[in-house]
Amino acid sequence: VGTVSALASVDPAEPRIRLYRLIDERWGEEESYPTLGNVRAVAAPQASPGTLLMWMKDAGDLYESRWENDRLSSRGALSAFAVRGLVPGLEGNLELDGEWDLVSTPKLNGRLALRRARGDVAWGGQTLELSSLDLAATLNDDRVAANAQIASRFGSARIEGSTAGITPDSAIAFGAEVEVTELRTLTEPLWTQARVSGRLSASLKIAGTIAAPTFSGVERGDALGFDMPPWGIALRDGVVRAELDTDTL
């Protein structure tokens, strides 16, 4: 890394930088720091000791991280970053803007924000027709406080809460409000002979850990309909009230 006696290694499939420092002509033990994912190339310019430049897949800019006083810092912005391929099963042409200012010691501190710039996502062949998507997070010694909002023609969702860390076994505590205003079109890719219509909403609490979340809360359904023409079924004006407690409905 520049004139600093360190070797930087990045795995494209894992969002972490691994540093090995040269001590007494031997490479020391690995130090690991979080970073962005989908890294395609790295470079350490000799004119700027301690600086590491990274190029992410589909990104139009290089991103800079700096190693100084046993701290890895990264500050930058995203512009029209393509989401396609990052989430399995999610299709579309969604692009995101955002910015971040992070320091790793190696515990992570700082902030980051993402928002929809343009484009849309599709699920099961159905375009969601997004109008807005915003995510903001603040990190304090690996603890995360985050909130997100999403709105589309089919409904909206808001989630807010925190995690006790960034490892899979870290405890989480989130609250979510979800509303689906147009169930028929949204669920069409899931059905062949049957059709479901109506409105759904839910107030949820999410606990457990990052790797094993648990869900509880209240679900509501109004103006529900179920049609299956081959069987002569046509149900209208259905109402559902349900309470979820972990694995019990």
Side-chain angles (χ1 to χ4, degrees):
V1 181
T3 60
V4 177
S5 298
L7 175 67
S9 171
V10 181
D11 182 348
E14 186 178 358
R16 301 194 76 81
I17 293 177
R18 292 179 170 83
L19 291 179
Y20 304 85
R21 285 193 273 182
L22 189 61
I23 303 173
D24 297 330
E25 299 184 354
R26 286 187 168 184
W27 293 110
E29 294 183 2
E30 171 190 310
E31 300 174 33
S32 180
Y33 300 85
T35 186
L36 294 173
N38 285 285
V39 177
R40 288 295 180 263
V42 295
Q46 293 185 353
S48 183
T51 299
L52 184 69
L53 299 177
M54 294 179 292
W55 177 60
M56 313 301 176
K57 179 183 178 183
D58 298 327
D61 301 304
L62 296 176
Y63 303 113
E64 177 181 321
S65 292
R66 183 164 182 81
W67 174 261
E68 190 174 26
N69 299 325
D70 292 336
R71 290 161 35 119
L72 186 70
S73 61
S74 179
R75 176 185 298 176
L78 295 171
S79 178
F81 185 80
V83 175
R84 185 180 179 89
L86 296 183
V87 180
L90 202 62
E91 303 173 345
N93 59 352
L94 178 65
E95 295 180 354
L96 299 177
D97 289 344
E99 56 274 335
W100 72 91
D101 187 355
L102 301 172
V103 176
S104 183
T105 60
K107 289 189 174 182
L108 205 56
N109 293 270
R111 60 177 181 82
L112 62 89
L114 295 171
R115 56 192 170 275
R116 175 182 176 269
R118 56 182 170 267
D120 213 332
V121 295
W123 172 72
Q126 175 62 59
T127 301
L128 297 187
E129 300 184 37
L130 292 176
S131 57
S132 66
L133 187 156
D134 296 275
L135 168 68
T138 302
L139 299 98
N140 183 6
D141 286 344
D142 282 352
R143 297 186 299 273
V144 183
N147 65 80
Q149 300 87 34
I150 183 171
S152 82
R153 182 171 78 85
F154 301 104
S156 62
R158 175 181 174 83
I159 183 169
E160 185 172 3
S162 62
T163 76
I166 56 176
T167 58
D169 60 348
S170 297
I172 60 176
F174 281 88
E177 296 289 334
V178 181
E179 185 175 6
V180 179
T181 56
E182 220 283 78
L183 194 58
R184 182 183 181 91
T185 306
L186 186 63
T187 59
E188 276 184 352
L190 302 177
W191 302 91
T192 54
Q193 297 180 331
R195 293 290 181 267
V196 177
S197 59
R199 303 185 304 273
L200 288 177
S201 62
S203 299
L204 300 173
K205 292 183 179 180
I206 308 169
T209 66
I210 293 176
T214 61
F215 298 86
S216 60
V218 176
E219 295 81 37
R220 300 169 293 275
D222 294 287
L224 298 175
F226 181 80
D227 293 278
M228 186 176 283
W231 295 84
I233 298 175
L235 304 178
R236 295 288 184 272
D237 299 322
V239 176
V240 170
R241 298 292 183 268
E243 184 172 346
L244 177 67
D245 185 3
T246 312
D247 57 355
T248 302
L249 183 63

